[in-house]
Amino acid sequence: MIVITTPTGTIGAAVAESLRATGAPLRLIARDPARLPETLREYADVVVGSHADPEVLNRALTGATALFVLVPPNFGAPDVTGHYLGFARPIADAVRAHGVPRVVAVSSLGRGFAGPAGLLSAAWAMDDMLQSSGAAYRSLQPAFFMENLLHQVELIRGPGMFVLTADPDAPLAAVASADIARTAADLLADDTWTGQEDVPVREPVDHTPREMAQVIAETLGRPVTYQQASLADYRARYASSGASPATVDAMIEMAEAQTAGVYPPVPEGGGGTTFRRWCESVLAPAVNPSTLR
């Protein structure tokens, strides 16, 4: 029995659908089962509630052989690390109590970075807590999500630009969310691994933001440029969106850590979706929906 959290989110849903296709027995923890695809509602055992709730976890983890963990974002959280541990602590307790043998969680690349890293540090605190359960553990460690650029579709479509705080000429490790889901599903379906390890998930080549702009331009067939935003602008944008002061601080710390090199260089021979392929299959249709007709 494989238990999946956040099955209505992008990554959780992809993990669940991939495992359903293999015929694996599934149990889904969902706050709102109505948001699940009909195929999953009919196929899987569904436990209603939050995976921060010990009673929900007790029901969900009975007889479980593997667990997928993803902490849902909460931009209103008064304490970002506290938000992550609010899920990780009861999960670790329940995994220990039920003797769940394997746990796979989505964390972040760069674990071991010496300085503060905001949201990334919160994810690493989750890793520490889940490892304390004693289960075999795989910490999936993605880099910058390519999907973050989907929030800037209007800028790309209109003025032909995208904005980040990253140095335009410094490599920025990135990942397609589909690769995270695929890696998680493969691990959850495999009952042979043991021990506790970090698993980097990233594209095979790191691009600078300026190079990313060039790839986007070539994919769309029109000019696209990169503009570096100041941290002050970045802070103001998130503060105006309604994020809590703690979340804004955590976002700034994460941006500073990325600038400071929190993501190690990509190793040779890596796999994963290339940024160009992601632009062709995901970004271009989002920028030009008419191409889907």
Side-chain angles (χ1 to χ4, degrees):
M1 177 60 70
I2 301 173
V3 179
I4 308 294
T5 67
T6 64
T8 59
T10 300
I11 295 174
V15 172
E17 287 287 3
S18 178
L19 291 170
R20 181 191 67 80
T22 70
L26 293 181
R27 184 175 294 143
L28 312 178
I29 302 177
R31 292 176 184 269
D32 183 4
R35 294 178 55 203
L36 291 167
E38 186 176 352
T39 53
L40 284 176
R41 287 202 307 271
E42 293 178 349
Y43 177 84
D45 179 19
V46 178
V47 176
V48 180
S50 165
H51 54 293
D53 184 335
E55 293 185 6
V56 170
L57 290 167
N58 184 55
R59 296 198 304 273
L61 296 188
T62 299
T65 56
L67 169 66
F68 173 72
V69 177
L70 192 155
V71 173
N74 178 5
F75 289 102
D79 179 344
V80 174
T81 299
H83 171 67
Y84 271 79
L85 294 181
F87 284 86
R89 188 174 290 108
I91 290 172
D93 290 342
V95 165
R96 191 179 300 111
H98 288 274
V100 180
R102 283 174 300 282
V103 177
V104 177
V106 178
S107 181
S108 173
L109 188 64
R111 190 178 182 195
F113 181 71
L119 290 175
L120 311 186
S121 296
W124 302 329
M126 173 201 71
D127 283 326
D128 293 341
M129 182 62 67
L130 294 180
Q131 284 184 323
S132 75
S133 70
Y137 184 64
R138 291 295 182 269
S139 168
L140 302 189
Q141 301 194 339
F144 174 83
F145 279 38
M146 297 178 192
E147 280 75 11
N148 289 336
L149 296 180
L150 295 177
H151 299 299
Q152 302 194 45
V153 162
E154 294 299 328
L155 271 179
I156 296 170
R157 182 188 296 128
M161 61 183 290
F162 70 97
V163 181
L164 300 172
T165 60
D167 184 322
D169 296 308
L172 177 64
V175 64
S177 64
D179 290 344
I180 304 170
R182 182 164 44 250
T183 303
D186 288 347
L187 285 166
L188 292 163
D190 179 2
D191 62 2
T192 63
W193 51 272
T194 59
Q196 298 182 336
E197 296 179 8
D198 297 339
V199 181
V201 190
R202 60 195 296 173
E203 66 170 326
V205 177
D206 293 339
H207 297 285
T208 68
R210 205 184 302 276
E211 290 169 343
M212 293 168 73
Q214 182 62 32
V215 171
I216 296 172
E218 291 170 357
T219 302
L220 298 179
R222 58 188 181 83
V224 175
T225 60
Y226 171 66
Q227 178 176 315
Q228 184 179 12
S230 69
L231 289 177
D233 289 342
Y234 194 56
R235 177 181 290 277
R237 178 158 63 89
Y238 275 100
S240 66
S241 72
S244 69
T247 297
V248 174
D249 288 344
M251 295 294 289
I252 294 298
E253 276 192 4
M254 179 175 68
E256 291 174 331
Q258 289 169 340
T259 300
V262 65
Y263 301 142
V266 65
E268 293 185 6
T273 302
T274 65
F275 183 66
R276 185 176 298 276
R277 177 59 185 152
W278 179 84
C279 287
E280 294 169 347
S281 60
V282 179
L283 183 62
V287 173
N288 299 312
S290 60
T291 61
L292 298 177
R293 297 172 187 166

